Amino acid sequence: MLSSKLAAPFFIGPVSIRNRVILAPMSGVTDLPFRQLALRYGAGLVVTEMVASRELVQDTAESWARLRSAGLKPHMVQLAGREAYWMAEAAKIAADNGADIIDINMGCPAKKVIGGYSGSALMRDPDHALTLIEATVGAVNIPVTLKMRLGWDENSINAPHIARRAEEAGIQLVTIHGRTRMQFYEGRADWDAIHAVRDVVSIPLVANGDVETIEDAEEILRRSGADVVMIGRGCQGRPWHAGVLAGHREPGRQEIIEVALEHYRMMLEFYGEAVGIRHARKHLAWYLDRYAPATSGADKAKIMTSKESGEVAASFHAALQTSADLAQCVQEAA
């Protein structure tokens, strides 16, 4: 039975969010086409891919592409950086270009991000991290939120300390991924450990990590004491899944095929054909892994390597259309 809590609205500052299931920001995944589909199918809130603050201020094309909302509301923009000046200036640009909420990334574990002393590297220096938080909050008149991990490693679990100070600095929601940076995505997220943050903040708390099913979503809320759940990798290959956790219906077999093909077309339109084909490959692979795992190696290779968009679409469609696994998945969901 779906918890009514997941379907209930809540607020981030003055911004109303329609339910309590948020699609996690994932670099290289939650681009505009993915977010459009997730919001259409019922996600409570979607977040941009991580936007590098300095690059946005310096007007790079990639940062502006990540910033785009195409009218999605509420529009939540995640910023990353290591210097207060660039974070504040980028927050102003985002707000001036339609952002309703700014999220500060202090959770990304990627080497290229922490190598620049951004993302979860900021958790190693809470005093410095607070300068970024204060500068961002002070730069805009929209809510600012914070996403982080439990700590850098098991010997430095400082999320409660940072969260308490962040709330005092004006942060209006905090998200905790239940792993340390050094765990990357290995092992299981520690949902119980998130509760230590609940004990020290009164702002909305979002719990993240290893959520796949409605049962997972209910359990992470119970064990963490959080108000809201965030789902990331569990939506790969099914952009509608956040909405399903919030109580919306699971799409049927033909609708899954139609959405997957529409997703591919949207990516071609967003990036242009040559770049779109390359960016779409991981998404097509996720759809195949979930719904057509028996696709032959030759057919999958054609989908993953062809530079002709029509050939990719035809082969992808055929793989899904003939998949017995897709029929089984839909039957089990029903």
Side-chain angles (χ1 to χ4, degrees):
M1 176 67 70
L2 176 69
S3 166
S4 59
K5 185 172 184 177
L6 290 169
F10 75 104
F11 284 87
I12 302 175
V15 181
S16 178
I17 311 300
R18 63 186 179 182
N19 64 56
R20 297 179 182 233
V21 183
I22 300 176
L23 175 68
M26 294 178 282
S27 188
V29 179
T30 54
D31 55 15
L32 182 59
F34 198 98
R35 299 197 312 274
Q36 287 174 312
L37 289 172
L39 206 60
R40 180 200 302 176
Y41 278 88
L45 183 64
V46 297
V47 191
T48 68
E49 299 172 85
M50 177 180 64
V51 179
S53 57
R54 184 167 184 164
E55 282 74 3
L56 180 60
V57 178
Q58 294 178 337
D59 209 26
T60 67
E62 181 180 2
S63 62
W64 279 99
R66 290 184 171 208
L67 185 66
R68 284 182 56 190
S69 71
L72 297 184
K73 288 290 184 179
H75 181 35
M76 187 171 185
V77 176
Q78 187 182 76
L79 296 177
R82 63 176 180 177
E83 296 178 32
Y85 172 79
W86 298 114
M87 288 292 290
E89 292 303 305
K92 292 175 188 176
I93 291 171
D96 289 344
N97 284 272
D100 300 296
I101 305 164
I102 300 292
D103 185 57
I104 298 174
N105 183 315
M106 280 177 48
C108 181
K111 289 182 180 179
K112 67 179 181 180
V113 175
I114 66 160
Y117 302 102
S118 300
S120 56
L122 292 167
M123 298 192 73
R124 302 181 78 175
D125 188 349
D127 289 340
H128 176 63
L130 261 291
T131 68
L132 273 65
I133 291 169
E134 290 166 351
T136 306
V137 170
V140 294
N141 293 316
I142 59 176
V144 179
T145 65
L146 175 65
K147 186 175 190 291
M148 58 182 168
R149 289 188 164 225
L150 294 173
W152 177 258
D153 59 28
E154 62 181 9
N155 296 314
S156 57
I157 304 297
N158 59 358
H161 170 74
I162 296 173
R164 178 183 56 77
R165 294 180 65 185
E167 181 178 16
E168 292 170 354
I171 288 293
Q172 298 195 45
L173 171 146
V174 63
T175 300
I176 306 295
H177 182 113
R179 288 182 174 88
T180 66
R181 183 273 163 183
M182 295 305 291
Q183 286 180 275
F184 289 86
Y185 296 98
E186 299 299 320
R188 289 288 300 176
D190 189 342
W191 296 347
D192 297 300
I194 299 172
H195 208 294
V197 176
R198 171 77 294 160
D199 292 338
V200 297
V201 300
S202 59
I203 53 177
L205 173 64
V206 183
N208 175 223
D210 295 338
V211 173
E212 284 276 348
T213 66
I214 291 173
E215 291 74 22
D216 290 338
E218 293 177 328
E219 184 68 4
I220 196 174
L221 292 185
R222 185 186 68 79
R223 287 168 53 181
S224 68
D227 308 286
V228 182
V229 65
M230 178 176 280
I231 179 169
R233 291 175 294 163
C235 286
Q236 292 172 350
R238 46 181 182 178
W240 53 81
H241 191 59
V244 171
L245 298 190
H248 293 262
R249 64 175 181 80
E250 187 93 34
R253 174 192 173 93
Q254 196 57 41
E255 189 174 4
I256 289 173
I257 295 171
E258 290 170 359
V259 174
L261 288 167
E262 181 184 7
H263 188 184
Y264 178 57
R265 290 192 296 269
M266 290 168 71
M267 294 193 74
L268 296 180
E269 181 178 348
F270 182 66
Y271 292 105
E273 182 156 326
V275 176
I277 288 172
R278 294 198 303 273
H279 278 286
R281 284 172 181 157
K282 59 178 168 287
H283 293 277
L284 303 188
W286 287 324
Y287 284 115
L288 293 176
D289 288 345
R290 284 196 186 277
Y291 298 113
T295 302
S296 72
D299 287 340
K300 191 167 185 177
K302 184 186 296 183
I303 295 167
M304 293 297 112
T305 61
S306 175
K307 296 180 181 179
E308 298 294 328
S309 61
E311 181 179 51
V312 172
S315 298
F316 181 55
H317 184 202
L320 292 176
Q321 193 70 53
T322 59
S323 172
D325 296 281
L326 176 52
Q328 181 66 25
C329 286
V330 172
Q331 185 178 14
E332 289 175 355

